[in-house]
Amino acid sequence: MDLVVIVALVAALFAVIGLSEPIADRLRLPATVILAMMGIAIATAATLLLHTTLTDAFNPLAQAILALPIRSNLFLYVFLPTLIFQVALSIDFRRMLDDWVPILVLSVVAVVVATLAVGYALYPLAGMSLMACLLIGAIVSTTDPSAVVSIFRATPAPQRLARIVEGESLLNDAAAIALFGLFFAYVAFGIPTPQPADLLFHFPWLVLGGAFIGWAAARLALTGLAQLGDHPLGQVSVSVALPYLVYVLAEAVLNVSGVIAVVTAGLTLNYLAPGKLSPPSMTKLRDTWDLLGYWASGMIFVLAALLIPRLLANLRPFDLVLIAVTVVAALLARALILFALFPLLTKLRASPKVEAPYRLAIMWGGLRGAVTLALALAVTESFRVSPDIKRQVGIIATGFTLFTLLVQGTTLRLVIARLGLDRLSRLDAALSAQVVAVALQSVRESVTGAARDLGLARETLRDEVKRFAGRVDRAVQIADEGTGLQDRDRITLGLVALAGRERDLLLEGFRERTIPARLADRMLIDADRLIEGTRNGGRLGYLNTARRRLRATRGLRMAEFLHNRLRLSAPLSSLTAERFEQLVRQVLILKELHGFIDTRIRRIHGKRVAELLHDLLERRLEETEKGLDGLRLQFPGYAEQLERRLIRQMVLAQEEREYAALVDDGLIGPELRQVLMADIHERRTRLALRPTLDLAVQKTELVRQFPLFADMDEGQRKHLAAQLRTVYAAPGEVLMRRGDTPRRVWFIASGAVELSRASQVVRLGRGEMFGHLALLRRSARRGQISAITHCTLLTLDESRFLALLRRNAALRQAVQESAEKRGVAIDLSEV
């Protein structure tokens, strides 16, 4: 075919893709359904025009359309990597990790159940081998993620449920295509009943091998992307090469799953890139991939739909029965997952509760599309597969796809409406009314001030303000009285708005580059959890979610273990510095929220609710400052370094805004601005490096601040710091058990511990020590010692403690006073 004709047809298909969205919005149908309909219509019209006897004028156009070189490799090697990579790159992966159990179980189990159900349902009727029937089952198990996710974007579904379904849809395709590759190999090479051991070996190899290739390639690519920091177009180009190279390497070279390799590469980049690339680079990268994904999704649907008349060319009456059996089996398999496995996961607390209407919508919304047709086309093109299997695979897969698009797709909105999923809940309706009221009040204030500054006619201004004030008053009345909310619901709405404002402040800090991308990403996830927890649990949900953010993470606890037991300090230093920075930023944001309560929330919910929100916010602020103060005691001086860095970043952001305003006003030219911005960029790059938290330096500082060692000179303190070992303890951690024979002495640099012996409880705090009396008396401990707060402890082994005791009078006096206080007789003259 002439290249000019191909270019012209591709341009026309891009125009079709552009028209599909407004048509879909007008008809209230999924865009994929419209694209499929348009593709079928184009192919059908071309066929009719080519064979009609009325005119031959359109024969060249019809022949060009029908002769387009559409092959399965075009879908699998050109469009599919782009489509899968874009979804993996844009999904909320960090939040998805919260629900990895239901997502992984549902994606893998759903594909396996659907494959088995369809395969065994067709086996007695289709006259094909079991492997060929299971091959059809794997082909029709792929779902269209965009169609499933659109259900929840069109309904007020819980965010966590939407994430689970979106993640399941993404991994569903990967698992189904991996199964397809497995069964296709058996069918192509004529193995009707392979050994179960072969299946159990090959499938994990396909999945794990693909996952490793994707992860390794993404880490390598990310290193290159970070080196191209000043060349955003180069970064985009490398990112575009990544999914194709990964797919070809996995499929053609290593014989593992290319789709899983691409998914893993996209998720790895999604997770790690925000901490390596600048915010503008990430924005450009995501915007580019959104466009590429949109084009790939549209093109793959249109081109696949052009194949439908060809695939159905040899349709027989009995084939309709096989298509009906496939539809019923697939729906029953999906119902089994949704109505049996989902409730089981909910009981195990691995998944949120999914109400029956949502499960019905998910079941009916499992649309199939281009991936199913592409896999079917790959079978029909294989010279190793028998003609009869080719025909049945093509017809059953195509008929099943048409049913999901033309029956399920066109009735999906109706099903959602009949299930009542298109209506807001009472609380959501109240929240929307609140948002409208607050927004209109802000608009009134800003427009009134702007109109007055412009010197508009007073009568006109007064008339328009009065007219707009009526609208504002009606909105406030609806928000205040129309919903009949109780105070408990008003508090929940206020807290949701407060959490939303906290998220907005984080985004502002990220845009101004006063919050690093990696930290902003993590804090935004925490803010989303706070909003979700508040919506589900009200006041208690808000406080409990906020408190969970202050607890030590598993990673931090593991880092403390590595430091305390193996003396590996690098992970603890990095994670503690990150936690330090997060708490510093969190305190500043929480202080800003008080003004939001007074200026916005008080207007809607009144003084009483506003005062209660102030109290709840103050409680959060106290708990956050308490955590920050604990870190200040553990690591003196480091918080000051972070605060100085933050102030300098804020100055840079303000300086950048001032230069931009001067350029807009025409006071400085773009050449001078370029020079000034280059200087700002250089200083910002230096400030982007977080100060290193050196635990060795911090230990020396702790020794300097310890009262017992105040009389030492600097050389002695440094020598002692080298001998001391730092131990970090979490609340509740047992430091010494009953019956233990002490081999070291503990000095409390920060925090507090509790000594429990029989009915006696003694608490020790900063500047005190323990373990010394039992060590000096050579006796086993008669009680247990546990940390009651986060503690930083300095330990000294027996021989070094005794040597220090001999030459340090202040330490001897402290030991003697401690013994007298506890009624223990001890003779230090023998030491």
Side-chain angles (χ1 to χ4, degrees):
M1 179 181 290
D2 187 20
L3 180 61
V4 175
V5 176
I6 294 178
V7 171
L9 289 176
V10 170
L13 292 180
F14 271 109
V16 169
I17 293 171
L19 292 173
S20 64
E21 281 199 344
I23 295 174
D25 287 341
R26 179 67 62 88
L27 299 178
R28 295 180 61 79
L29 291 173
T32 51
V33 174
I34 297 299
L35 285 170
M37 288 180 174
M38 296 172 83
I40 295 170
I42 292 171
T44 304
T47 304
L48 293 176
L49 287 173
L50 187 62
H51 294 91
T52 184
T53 58
L54 298 177
T55 179
D56 295 335
F58 298 101
N59 282 5
L61 177 62
Q63 288 174 344
I65 292 173
L66 296 177
L68 276 172
I70 305 174
R71 299 291 182 267
S72 60
N73 283 346
L74 178 67
F75 295 108
L76 298 178
Y77 281 90
V78 177
F79 296 126
L80 189 61
T82 300
L83 185 63
I84 296 293
F85 190 80
Q86 185 272 329
V87 175
L89 190 63
S90 62
I91 200 170
D92 192 352
F93 182 53
R94 291 182 184 274
R95 294 302 314 273
M96 209 175 84
L97 289 176
D98 294 342
D99 299 299
W100 68 272
V101 173
I103 289 173
L104 199 59
V105 169
L106 288 173
S107 59
V108 175
V109 174
V111 167
V112 172
V113 170
T115 300
L116 294 176
V118 172
Y120 279 97
L122 288 175
Y123 182 54
L125 303 172
M128 296 184 291
S129 67
L130 179 59
M131 286 298 105
C133 294
L134 291 174
L135 176 64
I136 295 175
I139 290 173
V140 301
S141 295
T142 61
T143 58
D144 173 26
S146 61
V148 177
V149 173
S150 67
I151 299 173
F152 296 95
R153 291 179 180 170
T155 62
Q159 291 183 10
R160 188 182 177 198
L161 176 58
R163 284 195 307 273
I164 289 176
V165 174
E166 187 173 4
E168 183 260 337
S169 299
L170 172 64
L171 299 182
N172 176 291
D173 274 0
I177 294 174
L179 272 180
F180 165 80
L182 183 67
F183 291 128
F184 180 72
Y186 291 128
V187 172
F189 290 98
I191 306 175
T193 53
Q195 295 297 321
D198 294 339
L199 292 173
L200 293 176
F201 172 77
H202 284 296
F203 186 65
W205 164 247
L206 289 172
V207 174
L208 297 178
F212 176 77
I213 293 300
W215 173 81
R219 293 299 300 262
L220 184 63
L222 189 58
T223 302
L225 291 173
Q227 298 299 318
L228 295 172
D230 296 330
H231 306 281
L233 295 179
Q235 290 177 325
V236 171
S237 301
V238 171
S239 74
V240 171
L242 175 61
Y244 291 106
L245 292 176
V246 165
Y247 191 87
V248 171
L249 178 65
E251 286 284 341
V253 179
L254 300 176
N255 293 320
V256 295
S257 174
V259 174
I260 289 179
V262 172
V263 168
T264 306
L267 293 178
T268 303
L269 210 61
N270 184 330
Y271 186 79
L272 297 177
K276 301 288 186 180
L277 306 183
S278 66
S281 296
M282 280 303 302
T283 300
K284 181 177 275 300
L285 200 67
R286 292 186 190 278
D287 289 345
T288 302
W289 272 103
D290 285 344
L291 180 61
L292 292 175
Y294 173 72
W295 284 344
S297 176
M299 196 63 73
I300 198 172
F301 262 95
V302 173
L303 292 177
L306 291 175
L307 298 172
I308 288 178
R310 185 197 313 175
L311 293 172
L312 293 178
N314 297 318
L315 179 67
R316 300 171 186 172
F318 188 70
D319 293 333
L320 298 175
V321 176
L322 298 180
I323 293 172
V325 169
T326 304
V327 169
V328 172
L331 287 175
L332 289 177
R334 197 157 180 82
L336 179 66
I337 296 297
L338 291 168
F339 290 93
L341 188 57
F342 245 128
L344 178 61
L345 292 176
T346 302
K347 287 184 179 180
L348 296 175
R349 297 185 178 180
S351 170
K353 183 179 180 181
V354 184
E355 301 295 340
Y358 285 111
R359 280 180 271 170
L360 285 171
I362 296 170
M363 184 183 74
W364 196 247
L367 308 186
R368 273 64 168 181
V371 177
T372 300
L373 294 178
L375 297 180
L377 184 63
V379 176
T380 63
E381 292 175 356
S382 175
F383 67 91
R384 296 182 181 276
V385 180
S386 67
D388 187 55
I389 292 179
K390 288 183 184 181
R391 188 192 70 81
Q392 292 199 65
V393 168
I395 288 174
I396 293 173
T398 304
F400 180 76
T401 301
L402 284 176
F403 177 85
T404 64
L405 291 174
L406 302 182
V407 178
Q408 293 177 233
T410 55
T411 58
L412 188 55
R413 294 273 183 180
L414 178 62
V415 170
I416 289 174
R418 294 295 297 270
L419 293 173
L421 299 180
D422 57 345
R423 295 188 294 270
L424 292 174
S425 67
R426 185 174 63 92
L427 198 60
D428 287 326
L431 182 58
S432 65
Q434 176 194 10
V435 170
V436 170
V438 172
L440 289 179
Q441 285 180 323
S442 299
V443 169
R444 178 175 61 180
E445 293 170 0
S446 60
V447 170
T448 301
R452 189 180 297 113
D453 293 340
L454 291 173
L456 299 179
R458 220 176 258 180
E459 287 110 5
T460 304
L461 177 60
R462 188 185 304 114
D463 183 59
E464 287 300 315
V465 168
K466 183 178 179 181
R467 178 173 167 273
F468 191 75
R471 185 182 172 195
V472 175
D473 292 340
R474 285 193 300 272
V476 172
Q477 184 178 3
I478 292 173
D480 195 31
E481 299 175 358
T483 55
L485 291 174
Q486 299 178 355
D487 283 348
R488 180 182 60 188
D489 294 329
R490 293 183 185 280
I491 293 169
T492 298
L493 288 174
L495 289 173
V496 169
L498 204 60
R501 177 57 183 165
E502 184 174 336
R503 193 181 194 282
D504 292 341
L505 290 173
L506 285 169
L507 286 173
E508 288 178 15
F510 173 68
R511 284 192 292 267
E512 294 180 351
R513 305 189 197 182
T514 59
I515 301 180
R518 188 69 176 270
L519 180 61
D521 196 35
R522 182 171 291 104
M523 294 182 74
L524 284 171
I525 291 171
D526 288 339
D528 288 337
R529 288 175 180 153
L530 187 63
I531 294 172
E532 192 172 331
T534 305
R535 290 176 64 88
N536 295 332
R539 185 192 318 183
L540 288 178
Y542 178 84
L543 290 175
N544 290 336
T545 306
R547 284 168 183 155
R548 277 195 293 271
R549 296 164 64 176
L550 297 176
R551 296 174 190 164
T553 62
R554 290 181 191 147
L556 187 59
R557 289 197 293 269
M558 177 59 69
E560 288 178 349
F561 173 82
L562 293 174
H563 172 81
N564 293 341
R565 300 300 175 90
L566 304 179
R567 301 193 181 185
L568 299 175
S569 300
L572 180 62
S573 175
S574 175
L575 291 176
T576 302
E578 190 172 276
R579 179 174 173 80
F580 233 130
E581 186 172 19
Q582 180 174 348
L583 290 178
V584 168
R585 312 271 177 174
Q586 190 68 53
V587 166
L588 295 176
I589 288 172
L590 291 177
K591 289 179 178 178
E592 286 191 55
L593 292 178
H594 282 291
F596 179 75
I597 295 175
D598 292 330
T599 57
R600 297 296 183 92
I601 296 178
R602 184 188 293 266
R603 297 178 180 180
I604 302 299
H605 296 297
K607 181 179 178 181
R608 180 180 173 185
V609 172
E611 288 178 349
L612 184 56
L613 295 183
H614 276 301
D615 291 340
L616 292 172
L617 185 60
E618 196 60 37
R619 194 183 308 178
R620 270 194 70 195
L621 182 58
E622 289 175 3
E623 292 173 351
T624 307
E625 287 181 329
K626 182 179 178 181
L628 181 58
D629 289 340
L631 286 177
R632 288 179 196 272
L633 291 174
Q634 288 182 298
F635 309 98
Y638 189 70
E640 181 183 348
Q641 295 181 51
L642 291 177
E643 288 165 353
R644 288 181 181 277
R645 171 172 169 255
L646 176 59
I647 292 171
R648 292 168 186 169
Q649 288 174 327
M650 294 170 66
V651 169
L652 276 181
Q654 182 62 33
E655 189 176 343
E656 186 176 18
R657 286 194 296 270
E658 288 296 326
Y659 292 152
L662 291 173
V663 171
D664 292 340
D665 294 339
L667 298 177
I668 62 175
E671 296 82 5
L672 177 57
R673 183 194 179 187
Q674 187 174 1
V675 174
L676 295 173
M677 293 305 298
D679 177 59
I680 288 179
H681 176 72
E682 183 180 348
R683 285 184 286 160
R684 179 172 279 144
T685 301
R686 290 198 300 268
L687 285 174
L689 300 174
R690 185 174 56 210
T692 303
L693 178 59
D694 190 335
L695 298 183
V697 173
Q698 295 295 323
K699 182 169 64 172
T700 303
E701 184 64 26
L702 290 173
V703 172
R704 181 180 293 109
Q705 295 182 5
F706 211 85
L708 289 176
F709 312 131
D711 295 336
M712 290 183 174
D713 60 37
E714 191 64 26
Q716 291 175 324
R717 276 197 291 262
K718 286 184 178 180
H719 178 70
L720 177 60
Q723 295 179 331
L724 288 165
R725 181 179 170 191
T726 311
V727 175
Y728 299 98
E733 183 176 341
V734 177
L735 303 172
M736 297 183 68
R737 299 184 183 277
R738 189 189 310 272
D740 287 351
T741 301
R743 295 285 180 246
R744 54 182 173 170
V745 177
W746 303 67
F747 300 92
I748 305 174
S750 69
V753 301
E754 187 175 75
L755 287 70
S756 304
R757 183 174 62 188
S759 59
Q760 184 182 9
V761 175
V762 178
R763 291 186 174 179
L764 303 177
R766 181 171 179 264
E768 298 186 88
M769 58 182 169
F770 60 90
H772 53 291
L773 297 180
L775 185 146
L776 290 171
R777 297 176 63 200
R778 310 280 182 181
S779 62
R781 282 214 54 82
R782 290 182 290 174
Q784 179 173 287
I785 303 178
S786 306
I788 56 176
T789 65
H790 286 284
C791 297
T792 300
L793 307 164
L794 302 174
T795 67
L796 194 62
D797 62 38
E798 181 177 0
S799 60
R800 289 170 174 167
F801 171 72
L802 294 177
L804 179 65
L805 189 62
R806 294 188 193 102
R807 63 176 185 266
N808 190 295
L811 181 59
R812 286 198 302 273
Q813 183 179 351
V815 170
Q816 190 67 52
E817 290 175 355
S818 174
E820 292 173 358
K821 182 178 179 181
R822 299 180 198 178
V824 176
I826 193 167
D827 185 4
L828 295 180
S829 61
E830 299 178 0
V831 174

